[in-house]
């Protein structure tokens, strides 16, 4: 007897990144508002700065801390992501990996720059915590960048931490590019392990940004959230998750069964 059971698509895997994208964007907006308003999220910024400023590491410890911080530099993150995306494309995964990386890197560059310029916060190295927000900052910055011979932009651009954002985008996305369904070596269990491991450099870079007194504590938090936003946008472009190969095989088998033919026929 032929089954007429309707096979419904599993939409939860598709909706989940979109839901988390909204959550991450809302959290980023809340932290940005707290920075602008000097709210409770920024309460630890000055005490942490006052603690770490006179206790900067030296010698090998400083070299190690800087090396960790550089894991969030674009000179490291961009070649890594582009290389993995091209590798996945050459492995027959189509254009999605490349488009996902371009989406992540492009949206981070645009959103990160606009946030930095619009918020206008001083870095802790200046010894003062001043925020001079305004859309006019963006206009002045755009003029400095786009108009030949214009005076350079002299505003402050400390919030959020770009290194923290780069790390939060790069290392989880690298895990998906390696072991996700559209990655180089699709494997659900390895993907879960790699995603867990990717949190280590993400946490380390943001921590070093504060320990080395490059950024206020809330700026590392803002960088992580910005990175999460653009990561989830890239994840939506990349497509199915790491369990998709098995899910696709099950869906194919069920479709054949619904059509009335044996799973192995044809």
């Amino acid at each position: 007897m032929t089954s007429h059971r309707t096979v419904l698509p599993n939409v939860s895997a598709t909706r989940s990144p979109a839901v988390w994208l909204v959550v991450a964007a809302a959290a980023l907006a809340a932290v940005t508002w707290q920075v602008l308003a000097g709210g409770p999220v920024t309460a630890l910024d000055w005490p942490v700065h006052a603690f770490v400023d006179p206790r900067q590491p030296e010698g090998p410890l400083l070299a190690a801390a800087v090396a960790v911080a550089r894991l969030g530099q674009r000179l490291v993150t961009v070649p890594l992501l582009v290389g993995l995306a091209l590798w996945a494309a050459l492995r027959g995964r189509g254009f999605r990996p490349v488009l996902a990386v371009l989406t992540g890197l492009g949206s981070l560059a645009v959103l990160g720059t606009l946030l930095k310029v619009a918020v206008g916060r001083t870095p802790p190295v200046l010894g003062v915590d001043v925020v001079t927000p305004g859309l006019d900052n963006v206009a002045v910055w755009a003029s400095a960048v786009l108009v030949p011979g214009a005076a350079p932009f002299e505003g402050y651009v400390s919030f959020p931490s770009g290194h923290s954002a780069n790390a939060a985008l790069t290392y989880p996305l690298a895990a998906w590019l390696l072991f996700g369904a559209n990655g180089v070596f699709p494997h659900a269990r390895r993907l879960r392990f790699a995603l867990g491991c990717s949190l280590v450099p993400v946490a380390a870079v943001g921590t070093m940004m504060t320990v080395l007194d490059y950024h206020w504590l809330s700026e590392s938090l803002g960088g992580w959230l910005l990175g999460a936003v653009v990561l989830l946008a890239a994840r939506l472009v990349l497509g199915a998750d790491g369990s998709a190969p098995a899910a696709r095989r099950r869906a194919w088998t069920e479709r054949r069964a619904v059509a009335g033919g044996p799973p192995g026929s044809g």
Side-chain angles (χ1 to χ4, degrees):
M1 179 177 178
T2 303
S3 171
H4 295 286
R5 178 169 57 89
T6 302
V7 180
L8 297 176
N10 182 10
V11 297
S12 61
T14 303
R15 288 179 179 175
S16 181
V19 171
W20 282 111
L21 174 58
V22 173
V23 171
L28 175 60
V31 170
T32 303
W33 165 67
Q34 285 286 290
V35 169
L36 294 175
V41 169
T42 65
L44 290 177
D45 284 353
W46 189 264
V48 169
H49 160 68
F51 179 82
V52 301
D53 183 53
R55 296 175 174 84
Q56 289 298 293
E58 298 178 351
L61 284 179
L62 176 60
V66 171
V68 171
R70 284 178 176 167
L71 292 175
Q73 277 188 340
R74 281 191 291 266
L75 288 176
V76 174
T77 61
V78 172
L80 174 62
L81 289 180
V82 171
L84 287 175
L86 292 175
W87 190 9
L90 291 174
R91 293 273 295 185
R93 308 302 181 230
F95 193 63
R96 275 184 178 269
V98 175
L99 186 57
V101 166
L102 292 178
T103 298
L105 293 176
S107 56
L108 178 55
V110 173
L111 292 176
T113 300
L114 290 178
L115 266 178
K116 282 176 172 289
V117 173
V119 171
R121 193 181 190 187
T122 56
V125 68
L126 296 182
V128 293
D129 185 6
V130 176
V131 178
T132 54
L135 293 178
D136 55 329
N137 294 351
V138 178
V140 174
W141 170 83
S143 175
V145 171
L146 300 176
V147 178
F153 180 71
E154 296 181 351
Y156 297 108
V157 290
S158 192
F159 176 87
S161 166
H163 281 63
S164 300
N166 285 333
L169 166 67
T170 299
Y171 298 104
L173 184 54
W176 269 308
L177 289 170
L178 279 171
F179 303 119
N182 289 316
V184 180
F185 306 109
H187 196 286
R189 185 175 50 168
R190 291 175 184 173
L191 173 62
R192 290 191 294 270
F193 179 76
L195 286 173
C197 292
S198 73
L199 298 180
V200 175
V202 173
V205 170
T207 300
M208 286 303 103
M209 288 297 101
T210 299
V211 168
L212 293 171
D213 214 26
Y214 294 157
H215 283 282
W216 304 101
L217 180 61
S218 61
E219 293 178 344
S220 292
L221 174 60
W224 283 328
L225 291 172
L226 173 60
V229 168
V230 297
L231 167 67
L232 291 164
R235 167 69 177 77
L236 283 172
V237 174
L238 186 59
D241 64 16
S243 63
R248 286 172 181 166
R249 288 193 294 270
R250 288 194 300 270
W252 178 82
T253 302
E254 291 174 345
R255 283 197 298 269
R256 295 301 299 269
V258 169
S265 66

